[in-house]
């Protein structure tokens, strides 16, 4: 009888772990909605991802936190994060001009366009990695400098973040509303990549 009870315990634990993983996945999707709403300010996307990543870090650490804490983090990150958002849109506009030059058949246009696209992807990865480790009061300049180094020194982790961005793009291409909750999965991927790098 005792042996039967001992054998019955592992499945219960596995079921609990499965439930915990599903809860984290559901939290990622909910966080994606919060991030999407916070991104409506156009230049607010760095602060939105920073607040989302911090919420997911709290969630995986079994700490308290909800939408109020997310809003408080978003406001804190936005104080200087809006300038990062402006810089990001400026870089995107420069790449768009490069791509248009490539399509127009200008000499060296295709090469310049390709370099611009790869540079923009690298900047997006660095921004997500910086947002993944953001804390209130942290300097965005220092965060981006460190994230830029990690983006280059940890190509495997950076590739995982790129894959997350690819999933968002494909989701938007097939069913646009799916890209909204998937934003939380991208934030979670960036958090996981940073944790992996920290424990190397």
């Amino acid at each position: 009888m005792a042996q039967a009870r001992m054998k019955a315990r592992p499945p219960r634990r596995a079921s609990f772990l499965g439930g915990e993983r599903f809860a984290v996945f559901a939290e990622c999707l909910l966080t994606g909605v919060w991030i999407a709403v916070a991104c409506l300010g156009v230049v607010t996307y760095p602060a939105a991802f920073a607040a989302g990543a911090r919420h997911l870090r709290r969630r995986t650490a079994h700490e308290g936190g909800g939408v109020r804490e997310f809003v408080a983090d978003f406001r804190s990150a936005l104080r200087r994060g809006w300038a990062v958002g402006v810089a990001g849109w400026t870089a995107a506009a420069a790449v768009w001009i490069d791509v248009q030059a490539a399509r127009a058949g200008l000499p060296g246009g295709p090469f310049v366009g390709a370099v611009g696209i790869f540079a923009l992807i690298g900047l997006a990865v660095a921004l997500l990695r910086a947002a993944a480790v953001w804390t209130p009061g942290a300097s965005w300049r220092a965060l981006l400098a460190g994230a830029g180094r990690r983006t280059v020194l940890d190509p495997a982790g950076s590739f995982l973040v790129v894959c997350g961005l690819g999933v968002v793009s494909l989701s938007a291409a097939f069913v646009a509303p799916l890209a909204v909750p998937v934003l939380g999965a991208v934030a979670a991927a960036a958090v996981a990549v940073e944790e992996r790098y920290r424990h190397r």
Side-chain angles (χ1 to χ4, degrees), residues 2 56-58 70 82 89 92 94 134 149 156 168 174 177 181 199:
L56 291 174
R57 292 202 310 270
R58 281 196 299 264
F70 174 87
W82 66 269
W89 282 118
W134 175 87
R149 287 191 295 270
V168 172
F174 287 112
H199 290 97

Side-chain angles (χ1 to χ4, degrees), residues 63-135:
E63 298 176 0
V67 68
R68 290 182 180 178
E69 288 77 8
F70 174 87
V71 171
D73 286 336
F74 172 70
R75 288 176 176 170
S76 178
L78 188 59
R79 287 174 192 153
R80 296 182 181 177
W82 66 269
V84 179
V86 171
W89 282 118
T90 302
V95 170
W96 183 82
I97 293 171
D98 288 342
V99 171
Q100 296 306 310
R103 288 182 175 178
L106 294 177
F111 175 76
V112 173
V115 170
I117 290 173
F118 279 111
L120 185 63
I121 292 172
L123 288 173
V125 171
L127 175 62
L128 285 170
R129 296 189 72 151
V133 296
W134 175 87
T135 55

Side-chain angles (χ1 to χ4, degrees), residues 121-122 124-126 128-130 132-133 145-163 188-200:
I121 292 172
V125 171
L128 285 170
R129 296 189 72 151
V133 296
R149 287 191 295 270
R150 294 192 299 276
T151 298
V152 175
L153 297 175
D154 181 26
S158 297
F159 178 72
L160 291 175
V161 177
V162 171
C163 289
V191 170
V193 164
E194 286 299 307
E195 282 295 309
R196 170 184 167 275
Y197 183 84
R198 190 167 65 89
H199 290 97
R200 281 202 316 181

Side-chain angles (χ1 to χ4, degrees), residues 19-28 31 52-65:
E20 179 68 17
R21 289 172 184 158
F22 181 78
V24 172
F25 175 70
E27 196 71 32
C28 288
T31 304
R54 189 157 190 258
H55 170 73
L56 291 174
R57 292 202 310 270
R58 281 196 299 264
R59 178 64 182 84
T60 54
H62 301 285
E63 298 176 0

